[in-house]
C-alpha cells in the first residue's frame, strides 16, 4: 500500500535572476541568487501545504549547495536522502526576463553535482513509504543522473507508487532538440501523470491542439494529463472525462516556479484524498475542476510573491 511521502528526483540549483527585465544577458547589470530547480520546487510546494516530501539529488559541497539545503529544510523538505560531493559544483542557471515574462536560460552544469547522482545511490526500499515519485526532463541528459531516474522509476512502479512527469523543457541543455523530444517520449509511457504546458505541446506532439494530441499523451501507463495554458487557465484529461479551471489574474512578470507550484499542489491534493494509481483514471469532472482551481489559486498567490519556494503559500494561507 503506497505511503504518504512525495519523492522528487532531479536538480536543485541556484537561479541567478536579473536585476532588470526586457534586456539580453549581456545587458543585465547584475544577478541575484535564488534557490530553484523544478524537482526542488515541487517538493517545497508539497511540504508548504503540510505534506511529507523528500528530494533525491546531489549537491556540491560548496556554499551554494549548503544554501540550497538550508532553504529546502526551512520549507519542510526531508533531506535525509540528499548527498553532497566534492567531485563537482552545485549547478547554476542564469535567467533573463523579457517584458512579458518570457524566460531565457544559460546553465552552468558541465557537469554539476546533481548530474553525478548515480543509480546505485537509489534504494528501492525508500518507495515503501512513498505516495508518488515526480521528475522532469532537465536531468535526463546523458549522465549518471539519467540512469538514477530509471532506477527510481522502476522501484516506484514495482512498489505500486504513482509516477508524475513534467517535461519542463530546457532547450539550452540539449545539443539536439530531437534527442530531447525522443527522450521525453521514451519516459512518458512510464508515468501515470503527465503535466505539460502549451509552450511544450506542439514541440512534443506536432500539434498546438491539446485534444488532438491526447492520443499521443494518454498512452502507456498515463492516466491523467494536466495541461497548463498560462493566463487562460488549466485543463485535466483522463480517458473518460476532462475538467477546466480559469487562472487567477496576476500582475507579476516573474513566473519562475509557478508550474512547479501547480503540480506540487495538485499532487498534494491527490495525496490528501487518498487517490492511488488505480483511482486516477476514475476521477470525476467535478473533482478535477476542484483540484485545478486550488492549484491555480496556489500559483496565483506564489507568483504575486515572486514565485520563490519560500513564498509558496501554506494551507492556512490558502483558506
Amino acid at each position: 500500500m503506497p505511503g504518504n511521502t512525495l519523492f522528487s528526483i532531479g536538480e536543485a540549483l541556484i537561479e541567478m535572476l536579473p536585476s532588470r527585465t526586457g534586456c539580453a544577458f549581456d545587458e543585465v547589470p547584475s544577478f541575484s541568487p535564488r534557490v530553484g530547480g523544478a524537482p526542488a520546487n515541487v517538493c517545497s510546494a508539497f511540504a508548504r501545504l503540510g505534506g511529507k516530501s523528500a528530494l533525491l539529488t546531489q549537491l556540491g559541497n560548496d556554499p551554494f549547495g549548503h544554501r540550497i539545503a538550508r532553504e529546502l529544510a526551512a520549507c519542510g523538505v526531508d533531506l535525509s536522502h540528499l548527498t553532497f560531493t566534492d567531485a563537482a559544483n552545485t549547478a547554476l542557471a542564469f535567467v533573463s526576463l523579457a517584458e512579458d515574462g518570457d524566460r531565457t536560460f544559460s546553465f552552468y552544469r558541465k557537469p554539476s553535482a546533481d548530474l553525478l547522482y548515480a543509480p546505485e545511490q537509489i534504494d528501492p526500499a525508500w518507495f515503501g513509504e512513498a505516495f508518488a515519485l515526480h521528475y522532469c526532463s532537465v536531468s535526463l541528459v546523458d549522465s549518471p543522473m539519467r540512469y538514477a531516474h530509471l532506477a527510481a522509476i522502476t522501484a516506484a512502479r514495482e512498489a505500486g507508487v504513482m509516477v508524475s512527469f513534467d517535461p519542463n523543457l530546457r532547450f539550452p541543455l540539449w545539443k539536439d532538440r530531437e534527442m530531447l523530444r525522443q527522450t521525453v517520449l521514451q519516459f512518458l509511457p512510464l508515468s501515470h501523470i503527465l503535466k505539460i504546458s502549451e509552450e511544450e505541446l506542439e514541440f512534443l506532439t506536432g500539434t498546438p491542439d491539446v485534444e488532438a494530441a491526447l492520443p499521443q499523451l494518454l498512452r502507456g501507463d498515463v492516466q491523467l494529463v494536466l495541461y497548463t495554458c498560462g493566463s487562460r487557465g488549466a485543463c485535466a484529461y483522463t480517458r473518460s472525462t476532462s475538467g477546466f479551471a480559469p487562472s487567477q489574474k496576476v500582475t507579476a512578470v516573474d513566473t519562475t516556479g509557478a508550474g512547479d507550484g501547480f503540480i506540487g499542489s495538485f499532487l498534494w491534493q491527490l495525496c490528501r484524498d487518498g487517490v492511488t494509481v488505480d483511482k486516477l483514471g476514475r476521477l470525476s469532472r467535478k473533482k478535477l475542476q476542484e483540484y485545478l482551481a486550488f492549484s491555480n489559486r496556489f500559483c496565483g498567490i506564489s507568483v504575486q510573491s515572486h514565485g520563490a519556494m519560500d513564498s509558496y503559500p501554506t494551507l492556512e494561507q490558502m483558506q
Side-chain angles (χ1 to χ4, degrees):
M1 185 71 180
N4 62 356
T5 300
L6 169 68
F7 284 85
S8 192
I9 184 170
E11 76 284 357
L13 47 74
I14 295 292
E15 294 175 338
M16 305 298 287
L17 301 182
S19 60
R20 193 172 77 201
T21 62
C23 60
F25 274 116
D26 58 0
E27 298 173 337
V28 176
S30 61
F31 293 87
S32 299
R34 185 172 74 184
V35 174
N41 288 337
V42 171
C43 272
S44 298
F46 196 91
R48 290 280 291 174
L49 289 168
K52 294 176 63 177
S53 66
L55 184 63
L56 307 180
T57 195
Q58 186 164 256
L59 299 170
N61 187 22
D62 54 43
F64 284 137
H66 291 288
R67 172 176 176 165
I68 290 171
R70 287 196 306 271
E71 294 199 20
L72 287 170
C75 288
V77 177
D78 177 7
L79 303 185
S80 61
H81 307 300
L82 184 150
T83 61
F84 289 90
T85 181
D86 291 314
N89 292 329
T90 300
L92 304 179
F94 286 79
V95 186
S96 70
L97 288 168
E99 294 291 355
D100 62 0
D102 190 35
R103 296 167 292 164
T104 303
F105 294 86
S106 180
F107 290 91
Y108 288 74
R109 59 198 302 256
K110 295 182 178 180
S112 52
D114 58 298
L115 292 179
L116 300 182
Y117 190 71
E120 54 267 26
Q121 293 175 257
I122 299 292
D123 183 351
W126 295 340
F127 297 96
E129 62 185 69
F131 158 70
L133 171 70
H134 180 75
Y135 70 104
C136 306
S137 73
V138 167
S139 295
L140 296 182
V141 294
D142 189 20
S143 66
M145 178 59 106
R146 176 184 177 127
Y147 299 99
H149 275 65
L150 287 170
I153 292 167
T154 298
R157 286 165 54 90
E158 289 178 350
V161 169
M162 189 181 299
V163 178
S164 165
F165 183 26
D166 176 0
N168 196 37
L169 304 179
R170 296 291 179 260
F171 295 112
L173 293 172
W174 300 76
K175 294 180 180 179
D176 184 336
R177 287 194 171 202
E178 182 58 21
M179 183 180 294
L180 168 57
R181 180 176 176 274
Q182 291 302 323
T183 298
V184 170
L185 297 180
Q186 173 194 343
F187 278 79
L188 186 154
L190 304 176
S191 312
H192 304 109
I193 297 175
L194 174 68
K195 185 263 178 191
I196 189 170
S197 69
E198 63 179 339
E199 295 86 1
E200 298 167 333
L201 181 66
E202 187 168 5
F203 172 76
L204 292 174
T205 67
T207 175
D209 184 338
V210 65
E211 295 193 1
L214 285 176
Q216 298 181 65
L217 303 176
L218 284 167
R219 63 187 183 88
D221 288 333
V222 177
Q223 303 296 315
L224 174 65
V225 173
L226 301 175
Y227 178 60
T228 53
C229 319
S231 62
R232 293 187 290 109
C235 304
Y237 299 91
T238 67
R239 288 179 170 84
S240 59
T241 193
S242 63
F244 168 78
S247 288
Q248 287 198 327
K249 185 175 181 179
V250 296
T251 57
V253 171
D254 181 9
T255 59
T256 304
D260 307 326
F262 179 92
I263 186 62
S265 60
F266 198 99
L267 290 169
W268 176 82
Q269 293 175 87
L270 295 179
C271 185
R272 176 199 63 191
D273 291 351
V275 178
T276 50
V277 172
D278 59 314
K279 297 177 182 178
L280 267 179
R282 302 201 301 269
L283 289 170
S284 68
R285 179 187 296 267
K286 179 180 179 182
K287 184 58 71 173
L288 289 173
Q289 292 181 164
E290 173 190 314
Y291 289 161
L292 292 170
F294 181 95
S295 290
N296 281 343
R297 189 155 56 90
F298 184 93
C299 290
I301 294 172
S302 66
V303 167
Q304 295 287 19
S305 302
H306 307 294
M309 61 173 59
D310 60 359
S311 72
Y312 286 144
T314 63
L315 185 57
E316 182 179 5
Q317 291 167 330
M318 289 289 292
Q319 304 300 329

